[in-house]
Structures are given as C-alpha cells and as structure tokens.
Amino acid sequence: MKTIINAYLHLEGRCREAMSFYQDCFGGKLTLQAVKDSPMADQWPAGLQNQILHASLISDNLVLLGSDMTDGEGAVIKGSNISLSITCSNGAEMQEFFSALSKDGEVKRPIHSFFAGRMAAVQDKYGIFWMLYSDKK
C-alpha cells in the first residue's frame, strides 16, 4: 500500500446527510458505518450509537472521508471541521509521522488499535489536525 493523504470531514451529526449530498455531486460508492455496527460500539454511550463513526466516498481517484464524531472536547467549530487523514504504508512510517507531527504540537489520541489497524490523532504546532492510520497487513 502506498502512503496517501485525504480530507476527513467532521460533520457533527450530519455525516449521513452530507456524505449522501457529496455522493450526488461526485458519484461513487458511499460506505457508512454507525457506531452501533462497529467493533468499538461498547466504548460509546447509548446516545451516540446511531451516529456515523466512519464514512468513505470513493469515486475513481476521489476519496472523501467523514464522521459525526468529535475529538471528545465538544462541538466542532466551522473551519476547524476538516482534518488531514494519512493512510500510512506501514506501522514504522506511522510512528515516524506521528513523532514528527506531534513535536511542539498536541497529541489528541495516541497510537492505538482501531478496527483492522492502528490510528492516532495529532494537532500540529500550526493548529492543523492530522489523523494517522495503518492497517495490520
């Protein structure tokens, strides 16, 4: 797998609606995973079980990712509701990027197991939010 960067939209309860709109705009295959249908369902309160944990819209070379979830600190602010999501080619690359991006920044979520891989979240020293992912392959 090669390393790629995609936009990740934080849509705070409107993910299903927004991603369906973007599918109408761009075409492609839309995949939505609710919290209740994920392996992490027991880690979220009952009131969030129908929220979208992860969405992906794939159309040719276009990949748009999204979620209803926030970083746990409350509502997102318009303009800060987009992160850059890096799908790393392997775990070592993920660790390298994580270390570099978190230098003088803030770790939002340390590297941890997530679905079929590992993920982490960092706000860099310039205020940019990054999500990092690597699969177990």
Side-chain angles (χ1 to χ4, degrees):
M1 178 186 344
K2 66 181 184 176
T3 304
I4 55 173
I5 295 178
N6 295 305
Y8 201 104
L9 308 176
H10 303 278
L11 295 155
E12 195 180 21
R14 297 184 71 191
C15 185
R16 184 181 308 275
E17 173 189 346
M19 294 298 282
S20 294
F21 169 76
Y22 296 132
Q23 182 182 33
D24 289 343
C25 294
F26 304 123
K29 180 180 178 193
L30 176 60
T31 304
L32 300 167
Q33 182 171 46
V35 170
K36 68 182 177 187
D37 299 325
S38 78
M40 300 175 60
D42 62 349
Q43 297 177 26
W44 297 91
L48 296 178
Q49 292 295 310
N50 290 319
Q51 297 291 309
I52 301 300
L53 181 62
H54 181 72
S56 63
L57 175 61
I58 301 173
S59 178
D60 296 322
N61 290 326
L62 180 144
V63 176
L64 185 60
L65 306 172
S67 178
D68 282 323
M69 314 316 283
T70 67
D71 67 2
E73 295 179 12
V76 294
I77 298 168
K78 288 189 189 295
S80 70
N81 55 343
I82 297 175
S83 297
L84 295 177
S85 175
I86 302 177
T87 301
C88 301
S89 61
N90 58 56
E93 181 179 65
M94 181 182 181
Q95 181 62 56
E96 178 184 338
F97 291 165
F98 178 80
S99 295
L101 289 167
S102 60
K103 185 176 188 299
D104 299 325
E106 182 180 348
V107 172
K108 295 295 187 176
R109 300 219 39 180
I111 296 174
H112 63 282
S113 295
F114 187 76
F115 294 102
R118 311 216 0 108
M119 77 149 311
V122 172
Q123 182 178 15
D124 71 20
K125 64 182 177 181
Y126 301 104
I128 304 300
F129 289 90
W130 295 86
M131 299 171 66
L132 297 97
Y133 176 80
S134 68
D135 65 21
K136 290 183 181 176
K137 295 177 184 174

